[in-house]
Amino acid sequence: MALVQLNSRFEQMEYFESIFGFMFDASKFTYLDDADLKECCLNLESALTNDEDCDIDDKDLFIESQILQEMLPNGAYDGERPWSSIEIMEFTKKMDMFPNVLLAYKILLTLPVTVASAERSFQT
């Protein structure tokens, strides 16, 4: 049971990373070229689409992301510790001009990445 739960968790984390991975820190985000960034934005839009409803428009997210890549200070992605998702979100909040990027980070940072079912399975 434990191995099944662990495998399930790793699969969920890999899926989560495939959708939101480009937003995890500033070094990943900043060094994406336009083609990869566009693909990531499209992938995120499709993951957040339910029937006709969509939380984020990939074209707007792509344009905002390009601008944000240029506006992030050098210290955000160069140096020992690149900015985390929370720090990038705080920066976009202060700038007040990236509504789709801010929404994407809010979704990223509020998604539950674990559940208690594995812990319950270890109880006797």
Side-chain angles (χ1 to χ4, degrees), residues 96-108:
D96 194 29
M97 57 187 284
F98 305 106
N100 287 287
V101 172
L102 183 59
L103 180 60
Y105 274 103
K106 285 180 179 180
I107 293 170
L108 164 67

Side-chain angles (χ1 to χ4, degrees), residues 1-44:
M1 182 66 152
L3 287 175
V4 170
Q5 288 292 325
L6 287 172
N7 283 332
S8 173
R9 296 289 169 91
F10 283 114
E11 289 170 4
Q12 290 171 2
M13 283 302 297
E14 286 175 353
Y15 178 70
F16 183 76
E17 199 275 333
S18 73
I19 295 170
F20 291 101
F22 74 105
M23 300 170 62
F24 284 170
D25 64 50
S27 63
K28 287 182 182 182
F29 179 76
T30 304
Y31 292 117
L32 284 174
D33 62 16
D34 285 348
D36 290 337
L37 182 61
K38 190 169 194 147
E39 183 180 333
C40 290
C41 292
L42 184 61
N43 189 24
L44 181 60

